[in-house]
Amino acid sequence: MTGLGTARFRSAEARDLEAVHALEVASFSDPWPLAGFRELLDQSHVDFDVAESETGELLGYLVALRAADEAEVANLAVHANARRGGIGRALLDAFLARAPAAGVRAVYLEVRESNLAARALYASRGFVQAGRRRQYYRKPVEDALILRRAL
Ligand SMILES: CC(C)(COP(=O)(O)OP(=O)(O)OC[C@H]1O[C@@H](n2cnc3c(N)ncnc32)[C@H](O)[C@@H]1OP(=O)(O)O)[C@@H](O)C(=O)NCCC(=O)NCCS
């Protein structure tokens, strides 16, 4: 695995789906099914981006859904061997930079309360707590914090 210095960023394609799903399974205890990713491809209201190494290994992905003037970062993961190299931040920043041109005024997301790595990333990008969904997650059951960033 390589660091951000050699990472490339582009929209997800059908050929990425298996690696995206493998990273999803490795990253989350209650993963999305493969079909959940497939149906996001080529949808005009969806940002589905991947980071890959120079040799084409998947390093991370981000899924964001836009609706009217709001968007939700619905999924974000970076390969365990590539974490803490700036890839998650770069995926998020690229989406946040593009979103205003698509009419997005505010971005929301949910995060497990115990996910301190993700919370630190989002806090560093100006997300603040807007609410809480009690017992929102399974495996294990845990509250979600709802975070918001105005653009
Ligand atoms: C959360 C996640 C996407 C972060 O991706 P990443 O590429 O490792 O993050 P980055 O290297 O871009 O880190 C950006 C900032 O986030 C914070 N951060 C990231 N990982 C952290 C950790 N383990 N502990 C504390 N802060 C952390 C830091 O502020 C970091 O900046 P710094 O390295 O300059 O201190 C990654 O840890 C991951 O895939 N986790 C499992 C899946 C997940 O939880 N996804 C989010 C669901 S809401």
Side-chain angles (χ1 to χ4, degrees):
M1 283 291 162
T2 48
L4 179 59
T6 54
R8 299 185 298 217
F9 299 85
R10 58 172 173 78
S11 294
E13 300 171 12
R15 64 187 164 99
D16 300 311
L17 290 175
E18 282 192 20
V20 166
H21 188 246
L23 178 49
E24 168 81 6
V25 169
S27 299
F28 298 104
S29 58
D30 192 14
W32 288 9
L34 181 60
F37 289 99
R38 186 180 295 117
E39 66 192 22
L40 297 171
L41 292 175
D42 303 321
Q43 299 253 23
S44 60
H45 70 290
V46 174
D47 286 79
F48 182 5
D49 301 322
V50 296
E52 65 180 1
S53 71
E54 276 181 333
T55 52
E57 293 168 288
L58 183 78
L59 300 176
Y61 58 85
L62 173 142
V63 173
L65 314 172
R66 283 177 272 106
D69 61 355
E70 294 182 354
E72 176 191 358
V73 177
N75 207 333
L76 171 65
V78 172
H79 194 289
N81 295 342
R83 285 181 194 158
R84 218 63 204 268
I87 291 171
R89 178 195 291 127
L91 284 164
L92 185 61
D93 281 352
F95 170 68
L96 293 172
R98 272 196 315 270
V104 174
R105 306 283 305 274
V107 179
Y108 289 84
L109 58 84
E110 282 132 13
V111 60
R112 279 188 188 266
E113 189 165 25
S114 65
N115 191 347
L116 299 182
R119 287 177 61 186
L121 167 61
Y122 300 136
S124 78
R125 271 24 210 169
F127 283 83
V128 295
Q129 188 173 337
R132 173 185 292 268
R133 293 192 208 283
R134 295 203 183 274
Q135 306 193 343
Y136 177 78
Y137 292 106
R138 304 182 298 172
K139 300 181 183 180
V141 172
E142 185 175 352
D143 288 2
L145 303 183
I146 303 168
L147 306 185
R148 178 182 192 273
R149 179 179 150 174
L151 294 181

